[in-house]
Tab-separated table of all heavy atoms in Angstrom:
chain	number	residue	atom	x	y	z
A	16	MET	N	-34.506	-144.123	-5.887
A	16	MET	CA	-35.573	-145.063	-6.202
A	16	MET	C	-36.897	-144.513	-5.711
A	16	MET	O	-36.993	-143.973	-4.620
A	16	MET	CB	-35.263	-146.404	-5.512
A	16	MET	CG	-36.064	-147.552	-6.055
A	16	MET	SD	-35.585	-149.071	-5.203
A	16	MET	CE	-37.041	-149.339	-4.234
A	17	ALA	N	-37.916	-144.659	-6.546
A	17	ALA	CA	-39.251	-144.172	-6.157
A	17	ALA	C	-39.814	-145.039	-5.024
A	17	ALA	O	-39.699	-146.255	-5.057
A	17	ALA	CB	-40.180	-144.209	-7.352
A	18	VAL	N	-40.366	-144.356	-4.050
A	18	VAL	CA	-40.927	-145.066	-2.880
A	18	VAL	C	-42.410	-144.709	-2.741
A	18	VAL	O	-42.764	-143.530	-2.861
A	18	VAL	CB	-40.163	-144.646	-1.603
A	18	VAL	CG1	-40.782	-145.304	-0.383
A	18	VAL	CG2	-38.693	-144.996	-1.720
A	19	PRO	N	-43.286	-145.663	-2.512
A	19	PRO	CA	-44.709	-145.355	-2.331
A	19	PRO	C	-44.927	-144.447	-1.122
A	19	PRO	O	-44.317	-144.639	-0.075
A	19	PRO	CB	-45.358	-146.719	-2.095
A	19	PRO	CG	-44.387	-147.707	-2.620
A	19	PRO	CD	-43.026	-147.101	-2.465
A	20	LYS	N	-45.800	-143.459	-1.281
A	20	LYS	CA	-46.036	-142.476	-0.220
A	20	LYS	C	-46.871	-143.077	0.904
A	20	LYS	O	-46.712	-142.715	2.059
A	20	LYS	CB	-46.764	-141.269	-0.810
A	20	LYS	CG	-46.585	-139.998	-0.008
A	20	LYS	CD	-47.021	-138.825	-0.855
A	20	LYS	CE	-46.565	-137.520	-0.230
A	20	LYS	NZ	-46.891	-136.385	-1.109
A	21	ARG	N	-47.820	-143.970	0.527
A	21	ARG	CA	-48.737	-144.537	1.517
A	21	ARG	C	-48.719	-146.066	1.420
A	21	ARG	O	-48.466	-146.620	0.359
A	21	ARG	CB	-50.159	-144.059	1.250
A	21	ARG	CG	-50.351	-142.578	1.358
A	21	ARG	CD	-51.291	-142.226	2.496
A	21	ARG	NE	-51.547	-140.781	2.522
A	21	ARG	CZ	-50.777	-139.918	3.179
A	21	ARG	NH1	-49.709	-140.321	3.844
A	21	ARG	NH2	-51.066	-138.626	3.151
A	22	LYS	N	-49.022	-146.666	2.539
A	22	LYS	CA	-49.197	-148.118	2.560
A	22	LYS	C	-50.470	-148.455	1.781
A	22	LYS	O	-51.486	-147.771	1.935
A	22	LYS	CB	-49.331	-148.587	4.011
A	22	LYS	CG	-49.590	-150.069	4.172
A	22	LYS	CD	-49.719	-150.410	5.646
A	22	LYS	CE	-50.052	-151.872	5.806
A	22	LYS	NZ	-50.138	-152.245	7.235
A	23	GLN	N	-50.394	-149.477	0.937
A	23	GLN	CA	-51.576	-149.866	0.147
A	23	GLN	C	-52.595	-150.566	1.055
A	23	GLN	O	-52.216	-151.433	1.861
A	23	GLN	CB	-51.143	-150.793	-0.974
A	23	GLN	CG	-52.207	-150.968	-2.033
A	23	GLN	CD	-51.702	-151.797	-3.194
A	23	GLN	OE1	-51.343	-152.943	-3.051
A	23	GLN	NE2	-51.663	-151.195	-4.363
A	24	SER	N	-53.865	-150.172	0.928
A	24	SER	CA	-54.896	-150.711	1.806
A	24	SER	C	-55.190	-152.177	1.480
A	24	SER	O	-54.952	-152.636	0.357
A	24	SER	CB	-56.174	-149.891	1.676
A	24	SER	OG	-56.766	-150.122	0.425
A	25	HIS	N	-55.717	-152.886	2.466
A	25	HIS	CA	-56.097	-154.291	2.240
A	25	HIS	C	-57.165	-154.379	1.154
A	25	HIS	O	-57.154	-155.292	0.328
A	25	HIS	CB	-56.616	-154.922	3.536
A	25	HIS	CG	-55.554	-155.145	4.546
A	25	HIS	ND1	-54.739	-156.263	4.544
A	25	HIS	CD2	-55.131	-154.390	5.570
A	25	HIS	CE1	-53.872	-156.171	5.544
A	25	HIS	NE2	-54.095	-155.048	6.190
A	26	ALA	N	-58.104	-153.432	1.165
A	26	ALA	CA	-59.189	-153.455	0.184
A	26	ALA	C	-58.625	-153.352	-1.225
A	26	ALA	O	-59.045	-154.084	-2.129
A	26	ALA	CB	-60.160	-152.304	0.465
A	27	ARG	N	-57.664	-152.483	-1.415
A	27	ARG	CA	-57.078	-152.311	-2.734
A	27	ARG	C	-56.328	-153.574	-3.166
A	27	ARG	O	-56.444	-154.015	-4.310
A	27	ARG	CB	-56.133	-151.112	-2.716
A	27	ARG	CG	-55.716	-150.707	-4.126
A	27	ARG	CD	-54.782	-149.522	-4.091
A	27	ARG	NE	-54.160	-149.394	-5.379
A	27	ARG	CZ	-54.069	-148.269	-6.059
A	27	ARG	NH1	-54.561	-147.168	-5.566
A	27	ARG	NH2	-53.490	-148.245	-7.226
A	28	THR	N	-55.585	-154.151	-2.261
A	28	THR	CA	-54.849	-155.386	-2.561
A	28	THR	C	-55.803	-156.517	-2.906
A	28	THR	O	-55.625	-157.229	-3.902
A	28	THR	CB	-53.996	-155.792	-1.335
A	28	THR	OG1	-53.111	-154.723	-1.022
A	28	THR	CG2	-53.191	-157.043	-1.626
A	29	HIS	N	-56.842	-156.674	-2.086
A	29	HIS	CA	-57.765	-157.791	-2.293
A	29	HIS	C	-58.608	-157.595	-3.564
A	29	HIS	O	-58.933	-158.566	-4.234
A	29	HIS	CB	-58.667	-157.958	-1.061
A	29	HIS	CG	-57.898	-158.404	0.144
A	29	HIS	ND1	-58.360	-158.236	1.428
A	29	HIS	CD2	-56.694	-159.007	0.243
A	29	HIS	CE1	-57.455	-158.721	2.280
A	29	HIS	NE2	-56.449	-159.199	1.588
A	30	THR	N	-58.930	-156.322	-3.852
A	30	THR	CA	-59.669	-156.064	-5.091
A	30	THR	C	-58.854	-156.471	-6.302
A	30	THR	O	-59.339	-157.121	-7.217
A	30	THR	CB	-60.036	-154.579	-5.180
A	30	THR	OG1	-60.816	-154.216	-4.053
A	30	THR	CG2	-60.816	-154.272	-6.440
A	31	ARG	N	-57.568	-156.107	-6.298
A	31	ARG	CA	-56.700	-156.450	-7.427
A	31	ARG	C	-56.570	-157.967	-7.554
A	31	ARG	O	-56.665	-158.526	-8.630
A	31	ARG	CB	-55.313	-155.824	-7.226
A	31	ARG	CG	-54.385	-156.037	-8.408
A	31	ARG	CD	-52.973	-155.547	-8.126
A	31	ARG	NE	-52.311	-156.351	-7.134
A	31	ARG	CZ	-51.868	-155.898	-5.973
A	31	ARG	NH1	-52.032	-154.646	-5.639
A	31	ARG	NH2	-51.270	-156.698	-5.145
A	32	LYS	N	-56.337	-158.652	-6.412
A	32	LYS	CA	-56.138	-160.114	-6.464
A	32	LYS	C	-57.410	-160.834	-6.898
A	32	LYS	O	-57.334	-161.868	-7.555
A	32	LYS	CB	-55.660	-160.608	-5.101
A	32	LYS	CG	-54.246	-160.114	-4.817
A	32	LYS	CD	-53.566	-160.878	-3.722
A	32	LYS	CE	-52.089	-160.507	-3.709
A	32	LYS	NZ	-51.357	-161.238	-2.665
A	33	SER	N	-58.566	-160.304	-6.494
A	33	SER	CA	-59.813	-160.962	-6.876
A	33	SER	C	-60.017	-160.874	-8.381
A	33	SER	O	-60.698	-161.706	-8.970
A	33	SER	CB	-60.996	-160.335	-6.157
A	33	SER	OG	-61.284	-159.068	-6.712
A	34	GLU	N	-59.417	-159.848	-9.010
A	34	GLU	CA	-59.570	-159.683	-10.457
A	34	GLU	C	-58.906	-160.814	-11.221
A	34	GLU	O	-59.491	-161.358	-12.136
A	34	GLU	CB	-58.947	-158.356	-10.894
A	34	GLU	CG	-59.739	-157.143	-10.487
A	34	GLU	CD	-60.873	-156.860	-11.442
A	34	GLU	OE1	-60.685	-157.106	-12.630
A	34	GLU	OE2	-61.910	-156.409	-10.992
A	35	TRP	N	-57.670	-161.169	-10.851
A	35	TRP	CA	-56.943	-162.120	-11.696
A	35	TRP	C	-56.743	-163.484	-11.058
A	35	TRP	O	-56.562	-164.467	-11.780
A	35	TRP	CB	-55.593	-161.556	-12.142
A	35	TRP	CG	-54.610	-161.294	-11.049
A	35	TRP	CD1	-54.488	-160.156	-10.324
A	35	TRP	CD2	-53.595	-162.178	-10.578
A	35	TRP	NE1	-53.473	-160.268	-9.429
A	35	TRP	CE2	-52.906	-161.505	-9.558
A	35	TRP	CE3	-53.221	-163.475	-10.908
A	35	TRP	CZ2	-51.861	-162.085	-8.870
A	35	TRP	CZ3	-52.161	-164.043	-10.220
A	35	TRP	CH2	-51.488	-163.351	-9.212
A	36	GLN	N	-56.795	-163.595	-9.726
A	36	GLN	CA	-56.562	-164.919	-9.131
A	36	GLN	C	-57.728	-165.862	-9.400
A	36	GLN	O	-57.522	-167.071	-9.536
A	36	GLN	CB	-56.313	-164.787	-7.631
A	36	GLN	CG	-54.895	-164.349	-7.355
A	36	GLN	CD	-54.533	-164.439	-5.899
A	36	GLN	OE1	-55.401	-164.333	-5.044
A	36	GLN	NE2	-53.281	-164.638	-5.614
A	37	ASN	N	-58.953	-165.314	-9.486
A	37	ASN	CA	-60.082	-166.175	-9.812
A	37	ASN	C	-59.948	-166.720	-11.220
A	37	ASN	O	-60.323	-167.853	-11.484
A	37	ASN	CB	-61.397	-165.400	-9.678
A	37	ASN	CG	-61.691	-165.058	-8.243
A	37	ASN	OD1	-61.169	-165.674	-7.333
A	37	ASN	ND2	-62.529	-164.070	-8.032
A	38	GLY	N	-59.394	-165.906	-12.120
A	38	GLY	CA	-59.234	-166.347	-13.492
A	38	GLY	C	-58.194	-167.432	-13.656
A	38	GLY	O	-58.218	-168.187	-14.611
A	39	LEU	N	-57.271	-167.543	-12.690
A	39	LEU	CA	-56.207	-168.531	-12.828
A	39	LEU	C	-56.649	-169.931	-12.429
A	39	LEU	O	-55.925	-170.886	-12.664
A	39	LEU	CB	-55.006	-168.133	-11.959
A	39	LEU	CG	-54.203	-166.936	-12.445
A	39	LEU	CD1	-53.022	-166.712	-11.533
A	39	LEU	CD2	-53.702	-167.170	-13.849
A	40	SER	N	-57.801	-170.041	-11.814
A	40	SER	CA	-58.236	-171.366	-11.360
A	40	SER	C	-58.420	-172.303	-12.549
A	40	SER	O	-58.159	-173.485	-12.461
A	40	SER	CB	-59.520	-171.261	-10.545
A	40	SER	OG	-60.524	-170.694	-11.352
A	41	ALA	N	-58.851	-171.769	-13.706
A	41	ALA	CA	-59.021	-172.596	-14.891
A	41	ALA	C	-58.696	-171.758	-16.121
A	41	ALA	O	-59.594	-171.297	-16.797
A	41	ALA	CB	-60.433	-173.139	-14.965
A	42	PRO	N	-57.415	-171.509	-16.408
A	42	PRO	CA	-57.077	-170.659	-17.531
A	42	PRO	C	-57.408	-171.317	-18.860
A	42	PRO	O	-57.154	-172.499	-19.050
A	42	PRO	CB	-55.576	-170.451	-17.400
A	42	PRO	CG	-55.112	-171.600	-16.599
A	42	PRO	CD	-56.238	-171.995	-15.703
A	43	GLY	N	-57.973	-170.527	-19.779
A	43	GLY	CA	-58.251	-171.056	-21.111
A	43	GLY	C	-59.349	-172.085	-21.142
A	43	GLY	O	-59.422	-172.870	-22.071
A	44	ARG	N	-60.211	-172.116	-20.126
A	44	ARG	CA	-61.285	-173.102	-20.097
A	44	ARG	C	-62.620	-172.407	-20.306
A	44	ARG	O	-62.791	-171.257	-19.923
A	44	ARG	CB	-61.334	-173.860	-18.763
A	44	ARG	CG	-60.094	-174.625	-18.424
A	44	ARG	CD	-59.826	-175.719	-19.411
A	44	ARG	NE	-59.010	-176.778	-18.838
A	44	ARG	CZ	-57.729	-176.649	-18.550
A	44	ARG	NH1	-57.122	-175.495	-18.751
A	44	ARG	NH2	-57.037	-177.646	-18.051
A	45	THR	N	-63.551	-173.100	-20.889
A	45	THR	CA	-64.904	-172.604	-21.039
A	45	THR	C	-65.844	-173.804	-21.056
A	45	THR	O	-65.398	-174.943	-20.988
A	45	THR	CB	-65.037	-171.763	-22.327
A	45	THR	OG1	-66.322	-171.169	-22.365
A	45	THR	CG2	-64.841	-172.606	-23.567
A	46	THR	N	-67.142	-173.544	-21.137
A	46	THR	CA	-68.091	-174.650	-21.191
A	46	THR	C	-68.615	-174.810	-22.616
A	46	THR	O	-68.796	-173.836	-23.330
A	46	THR	CB	-69.274	-174.402	-20.242
A	46	THR	OG1	-69.823	-173.127	-20.532
A	46	THR	CG2	-68.829	-174.442	-18.790
A	47	CYS	N	-68.848	-176.055	-22.998
A	47	CYS	CA	-69.353	-176.348	-24.336
A	47	CYS	C	-70.792	-175.849	-24.460
A	47	CYS	O	-71.626	-176.190	-23.622
A	47	CYS	CB	-69.294	-177.845	-24.583
A	47	CYS	SG	-70.032	-178.337	-26.147
A	48	PRO	N	-71.103	-175.035	-25.457
A	48	PRO	CA	-72.478	-174.546	-25.606
A	48	PRO	C	-73.441	-175.649	-26.031
A	48	PRO	O	-74.650	-175.509	-25.883
A	48	PRO	CB	-72.361	-173.472	-26.701
A	48	PRO	CG	-71.106	-173.782	-27.413
A	48	PRO	CD	-70.195	-174.468	-26.451
A	49	HIS	N	-72.914	-176.747	-26.556
A	49	HIS	CA	-73.772	-177.832	-27.032
A	49	HIS	C	-74.151	-178.790	-25.899
A	49	HIS	O	-75.307	-179.148	-25.744
A	49	HIS	CB	-73.069	-178.587	-28.159
A	49	HIS	CG	-73.955	-179.585	-28.835
A	49	HIS	ND1	-73.845	-180.934	-28.612
A	49	HIS	CD2	-74.970	-179.431	-29.704
A	49	HIS	CE1	-74.770	-181.565	-29.331
A	49	HIS	NE2	-75.449	-180.685	-29.999
A	50	CYS	N	-73.155	-179.241	-25.095
A	50	CYS	CA	-73.434	-180.229	-24.057
A	50	CYS	C	-73.112	-179.722	-22.655
A	50	CYS	O	-73.450	-180.394	-21.678
A	50	CYS	CB	-72.657	-181.510	-24.335
A	50	CYS	SG	-70.890	-181.369	-24.134
A	51	GLY	N	-72.460	-178.554	-22.513
A	51	GLY	CA	-72.197	-178.004	-21.188
A	51	GLY	C	-70.947	-178.549	-20.523
A	51	GLY	O	-70.652	-178.195	-19.396
A	52	GLU	N	-70.194	-179.392	-21.221
A	52	GLU	CA	-68.965	-179.949	-20.672
A	52	GLU	C	-67.890	-178.864	-20.581
A	52	GLU	O	-67.872	-177.938	-21.406
A	52	GLU	CB	-68.496	-181.087	-21.578
A	52	GLU	CG	-67.388	-181.932	-21.005
A	52	GLU	CD	-67.896	-182.943	-19.997
A	52	GLU	OE1	-69.110	-183.205	-19.946
A	52	GLU	OE2	-67.059	-183.466	-19.260
A	53	THR	N	-66.987	-178.954	-19.608
A	53	THR	CA	-65.865	-178.018	-19.532
A	53	THR	C	-64.830	-178.391	-20.584
A	53	THR	O	-64.370	-179.526	-20.629
A	53	THR	CB	-65.220	-178.085	-18.138
A	53	THR	OG1	-66.219	-177.800	-17.163
A	53	THR	CG2	-64.106	-177.068	-18.014
A	54	ILE	N	-64.505	-177.423	-21.440
A	54	ILE	CA	-63.592	-177.705	-22.562
A	54	ILE	C	-62.503	-176.645	-22.612
A	54	ILE	O	-62.627	-175.584	-22.008
A	54	ILE	CB	-64.346	-177.724	-23.917
A	54	ILE	CG1	-65.127	-176.429	-24.106
A	54	ILE	CG2	-65.263	-178.933	-23.994
A	54	ILE	CD1	-65.740	-176.274	-25.470
A	55	MET	N	-61.421	-176.920	-23.353
A	55	MET	CA	-60.370	-175.952	-23.564
A	55	MET	C	-60.806	-174.996	-24.674
A	55	MET	O	-61.462	-175.417	-25.638
A	55	MET	CB	-59.060	-176.636	-23.957
A	55	MET	CG	-58.446	-177.406	-22.827
A	55	MET	SD	-56.664	-177.514	-22.992
A	55	MET	CE	-56.516	-178.498	-24.461
A	56	ASN	N	-60.397	-173.737	-24.551
A	56	ASN	CA	-60.721	-172.756	-25.580
A	56	ASN	C	-60.103	-173.143	-26.926
A	56	ASN	O	-59.009	-173.698	-26.969
A	56	ASN	CB	-60.184	-171.378	-25.179
A	56	ASN	CG	-60.980	-170.778	-24.039
A	56	ASN	OD1	-62.017	-171.303	-23.651
A	56	ASN	ND2	-60.502	-169.671	-23.517
A	57	TYR	N	-60.805	-172.829	-27.994
A	57	TYR	CA	-60.323	-173.033	-29.363
A	57	TYR	C	-60.101	-174.522	-29.682
A	57	TYR	O	-59.350	-174.850	-30.574
A	57	TYR	CB	-59.026	-172.245	-29.644
A	57	TYR	CG	-59.154	-170.782	-29.293
A	57	TYR	CD1	-58.542	-170.270	-28.176
A	57	TYR	CD2	-59.937	-169.950	-30.080
A	57	TYR	CE1	-58.677	-168.938	-27.846
A	57	TYR	CE2	-60.085	-168.613	-29.752
A	57	TYR	CZ	-59.452	-168.107	-28.634
A	57	TYR	OH	-59.593	-166.791	-28.300
A	58	CYS	N	-60.752	-175.413	-28.906
A	58	CYS	CA	-60.626	-176.855	-29.161
A	58	CYS	C	-62.031	-177.429	-29.292
A	58	CYS	O	-62.972	-176.980	-28.655
A	58	CYS	CB	-59.897	-177.545	-28.023
A	58	CYS	SG	-58.165	-177.099	-27.932
A	59	ALA	N	-62.140	-178.480	-30.111
A	59	ALA	CA	-63.418	-179.161	-30.233
A	59	ALA	C	-63.741	-179.867	-28.915
A	59	ALA	O	-62.842	-180.315	-28.203
A	59	ALA	CB	-63.361	-180.161	-31.377
A	60	CYS	N	-65.016	-179.973	-28.614
A	60	CYS	CA	-65.445	-180.612	-27.368
A	60	CYS	C	-65.171	-182.118	-27.443
A	60	CYS	O	-65.561	-182.787	-28.404
A	60	CYS	CB	-66.926	-180.353	-27.157
A	60	CYS	SG	-67.600	-181.172	-25.714
A	61	ALA	N	-64.469	-182.650	-26.431
A	61	ALA	CA	-64.120	-184.073	-26.440
A	61	ALA	C	-65.355	-184.941	-26.177
A	61	ALA	O	-65.390	-186.106	-26.576
A	61	ALA	CB	-63.059	-184.352	-25.376
A	62	ALA	N	-66.360	-184.382	-25.520
A	62	ALA	CA	-67.535	-185.190	-25.158
A	62	ALA	C	-68.502	-185.342	-26.343
A	62	ALA	O	-68.987	-186.437	-26.611
A	62	ALA	CB	-68.240	-184.551	-23.970
A	63	CYS	N	-68.767	-184.255	-27.052
A	63	CYS	CA	-69.776	-184.321	-28.120
A	63	CYS	C	-69.191	-184.046	-29.505
A	63	CYS	O	-69.861	-184.262	-30.505
A	63	CYS	CB	-70.927	-183.356	-27.825
A	63	CYS	SG	-70.490	-181.613	-27.957
A	64	GLY	N	-67.940	-183.552	-29.588
A	64	GLY	CA	-67.287	-183.354	-30.883
A	64	GLY	C	-67.719	-182.103	-31.618
A	64	GLY	O	-67.473	-181.968	-32.806
A	65	HIS	N	-68.346	-181.160	-30.928
A	65	HIS	CA	-68.782	-179.938	-31.575
A	65	HIS	C	-67.749	-178.830	-31.405
A	65	HIS	O	-67.057	-178.769	-30.389
A	65	HIS	CB	-70.125	-179.464	-31.010
A	65	HIS	CG	-71.294	-180.169	-31.617
A	65	HIS	ND1	-71.559	-181.488	-31.372
A	65	HIS	CD2	-72.260	-179.737	-32.473
A	65	HIS	CE1	-72.641	-181.841	-32.042
A	65	HIS	NE2	-73.095	-180.794	-32.718
A	66	TYR	N	-67.646	-177.974	-32.392
A	66	TYR	CA	-66.792	-176.797	-32.308
A	66	TYR	C	-67.461	-175.652	-33.044
A	66	TYR	O	-67.836	-175.794	-34.219
A	66	TYR	CB	-65.409	-177.075	-32.898
A	66	TYR	CG	-64.468	-175.893	-32.792
A	66	TYR	CD1	-64.000	-175.480	-31.538
A	66	TYR	CD2	-64.071	-175.185	-33.908
A	66	TYR	CE1	-63.160	-174.398	-31.429
A	66	TYR	CE2	-63.233	-174.100	-33.810
A	66	TYR	CZ	-62.784	-173.708	-32.556
A	66	TYR	OH	-61.950	-172.627	-32.439
A	67	ARG	N	-67.656	-174.548	-32.380
A	67	ARG	CA	-68.309	-173.350	-32.932
A	67	ARG	C	-69.659	-173.705	-33.559
A	67	ARG	O	-69.950	-173.293	-34.679
A	67	ARG	CB	-67.408	-172.660	-33.949
A	67	ARG	CG	-66.119	-172.157	-33.324
A	67	ARG	CD	-65.299	-171.346	-34.289
A	67	ARG	NE	-65.947	-170.080	-34.613
A	67	ARG	CZ	-65.408	-169.158	-35.423
A	67	ARG	NH1	-64.238	-169.369	-35.954
A	67	ARG	NH2	-66.041	-168.049	-35.687
A	68	GLY	N	-70.427	-174.501	-32.841
A	68	GLY	CA	-71.791	-174.817	-33.283
A	68	GLY	C	-71.861	-175.812	-34.414
A	68	GLY	O	-72.920	-176.014	-35.004
A	69	ARG	N	-70.738	-176.470	-34.750
A	69	ARG	CA	-70.723	-177.411	-35.856
A	69	ARG	C	-70.067	-178.703	-35.380
A	69	ARG	O	-69.139	-178.698	-34.585
A	69	ARG	CB	-69.880	-176.822	-36.996
A	69	ARG	CG	-70.309	-177.233	-38.380
A	69	ARG	CD	-69.795	-176.232	-39.400
A	69	ARG	NE	-68.357	-175.979	-39.254
A	69	ARG	CZ	-67.413	-176.750	-39.810
A	69	ARG	NH1	-67.741	-177.786	-40.536
A	69	ARG	NH2	-66.146	-176.470	-39.641
A	70	LYS	N	-70.538	-179.840	-35.894
A	70	LYS	CA	-69.947	-181.120	-35.497
A	70	LYS	C	-68.711	-181.380	-36.364
A	70	LYS	O	-68.797	-181.436	-37.590
A	70	LYS	CB	-70.969	-182.237	-35.690
A	70	LYS	CG	-70.498	-183.551	-35.147
A	70	LYS	CD	-71.670	-184.469	-34.856
A	70	LYS	CE	-71.187	-185.801	-34.312
A	70	LYS	NZ	-70.392	-185.629	-33.098
A	71	VAL	N	-67.544	-181.493	-35.731
A	71	VAL	CA	-66.300	-181.619	-36.490
A	71	VAL	C	-65.622	-182.963	-36.263
A	71	VAL	O	-64.723	-183.335	-37.015
A	71	VAL	CB	-65.313	-180.482	-36.144
A	71	VAL	CG1	-65.858	-179.139	-36.611
A	71	VAL	CG2	-65.029	-180.433	-34.655
A	72	MET	N	-66.002	-183.697	-35.209
A	72	MET	CA	-65.382	-185.007	-34.975
A	72	MET	C	-66.290	-185.843	-34.077
A	72	MET	O	-67.281	-185.332	-33.555
A	72	MET	CB	-64.011	-184.839	-34.316
A	72	MET	CG	-64.066	-184.217	-32.921
A	72	MET	SD	-62.462	-184.114	-32.153
A	72	MET	CE	-62.932	-184.288	-30.426
A	73	ALA	N	-65.964	-187.121	-33.941
A	73	ALA	CA	-66.764	-188.009	-33.111
A	73	ALA	C	-66.515	-187.708	-31.643
A	73	ALA	O	-65.370	-187.515	-31.230
A	73	ALA	CB	-66.429	-189.457	-33.412
A	74	GLY	N	-67.561	-187.645	-30.841
A	74	GLY	CA	-67.426	-187.408	-29.423
A	74	GLY	C	-67.089	-188.684	-28.684
A	74	GLY	O	-66.997	-189.773	-29.281
A	75	ALA	N	-66.907	-188.589	-27.358
A	75	ALA	CA	-66.541	-189.749	-26.546
A	75	ALA	C	-67.640	-190.815	-26.572
A	75	ALA	O	-67.379	-192.015	-26.630
A	75	ALA	CB	-66.263	-189.301	-25.122
A	76	ALA	N	-68.910	-190.385	-26.557
A	76	ALA	CA	-70.015	-191.331	-26.535
A	76	ALA	C	-70.083	-192.130	-27.833
A	76	ALA	O	-70.294	-193.347	-27.831
A	76	ALA	CB	-71.334	-190.577	-26.319
A	77	GLU	N	-69.848	-191.456	-28.961
A	77	GLU	CA	-69.892	-192.139	-30.257
A	77	GLU	C	-68.707	-193.075	-30.438
A	77	GLU	O	-68.834	-194.129	-31.040
A	77	GLU	CB	-69.911	-191.106	-31.379
A	77	GLU	CG	-71.197	-190.284	-31.403
A	77	GLU	CD	-71.050	-189.037	-32.246
A	77	GLU	OE1	-70.573	-189.154	-33.367
A	77	GLU	OE2	-71.401	-187.949	-31.743
A	78	LYS	N	-67.537	-192.701	-29.894
A	78	LYS	CA	-66.367	-193.558	-30.012
A	78	LYS	C	-66.590	-194.881	-29.270
A	78	LYS	O	-66.156	-195.933	-29.701
A	78	LYS	CB	-65.136	-192.851	-29.451
A	78	LYS	CG	-64.550	-191.847	-30.438
A	78	LYS	CD	-63.329	-191.150	-29.885
A	78	LYS	CE	-62.817	-190.106	-30.881
A	78	LYS	NZ	-61.745	-189.281	-30.303
A	79	LYS	N	-67.290	-194.818	-28.141
A	79	LYS	CA	-67.578	-196.041	-27.380
A	79	LYS	C	-68.514	-196.951	-28.192
A	79	LYS	O	-68.365	-198.173	-28.195
A	79	LYS	CB	-68.238	-195.698	-26.054
A	79	LYS	CG	-67.229	-195.288	-24.996
A	79	LYS	CD	-67.902	-195.007	-23.664
A	79	LYS	CE	-66.879	-194.478	-22.650
A	79	LYS	NZ	-67.522	-194.004	-21.427
A	80	GLU	N	-69.461	-196.345	-28.897
A	80	GLU	CA	-70.403	-197.152	-29.692
A	80	GLU	C	-69.696	-197.861	-30.839
A	80	GLU	O	-70.035	-198.991	-31.176
A	80	GLU	CB	-71.498	-196.242	-30.249
A	80	GLU	CG	-72.480	-195.757	-29.193
A	80	GLU	CD	-73.391	-194.668	-29.736
A	80	GLU	OE1	-73.400	-194.452	-30.954
A	80	GLU	OE2	-74.076	-194.037	-28.914
A	81	GLU	N	-68.670	-197.223	-31.388
A	81	GLU	CA	-67.955	-197.826	-32.511
A	81	GLU	C	-67.173	-199.067	-32.097
A	81	GLU	O	-67.013	-199.995	-32.841
A	81	GLU	CB	-66.993	-196.799	-33.136
A	81	GLU	CG	-67.736	-195.709	-33.913
A	81	GLU	CD	-66.807	-194.569	-34.350
A	81	GLU	OE1	-65.591	-194.732	-34.208
A	81	GLU	OE2	-67.327	-193.539	-34.778
A	82	GLU	N	-66.686	-199.062	-30.839
A	82	GLU	CA	-65.860	-200.179	-30.387
A	82	GLU	C	-66.663	-201.439	-30.144
A	82	GLU	O	-67.843	-201.424	-29.981
A	82	GLU	CB	-65.119	-199.794	-29.097
A	82	GLU	CG	-63.974	-198.824	-29.391
A	82	GLU	CD	-63.419	-198.219	-28.087
A	82	GLU	OE1	-63.849	-198.642	-27.005
A	82	GLU	OE2	-62.569	-197.319	-28.195
B	115	ZN	ZN1	-69.838	-180.652	-26.076
């Protein structure tokens, strides 16, 4: 079995973990370019109803007005 020749440094370990552990805090999330709300990727914004710069459905504020 292959064995590592040297102990891996803390700096190397922490550099690697900083690369992907920060990304796991909110996977697949982004901010809405229209209203700035945190939204899921590839989904219309629940707050304003915009997707890719176009209005595709009623947002939360408009749904309240309808009721
Ligand atoms: Zn939005």
Side-chain angles (χ1 to χ4, degrees):
M16 196 179 109
V18 176
K20 203 165 193 175
R21 298 244 184 272
K22 177 181 177 178
Q23 194 175 62
S24 70
H25 289 275
R27 192 180 166 132
T28 302
H29 293 160
T30 301
R31 184 186 68 241
K32 291 197 169 181
S33 74
E34 287 277 325
W35 64 272
Q36 281 190 332
N37 292 340
L39 288 183
S40 60
R44 300 297 204 289
T45 186
T46 53
C47 175
H49 188 256
C50 69
E52 191 79 16
T53 303
I54 54 172
M55 290 208 294
N56 288 352
Y57 307 107
C58 291
C60 176
C63 70
H65 278 70
Y66 182 68
R67 297 186 69 178
R69 211 158 51 84
K70 187 158 180 58
V71 294
M72 64 177 211
E77 293 164 48
K78 280 180 183 172
K79 278 183 185 171
E80 288 170 11
E81 288 171 10
E82 286 169 6

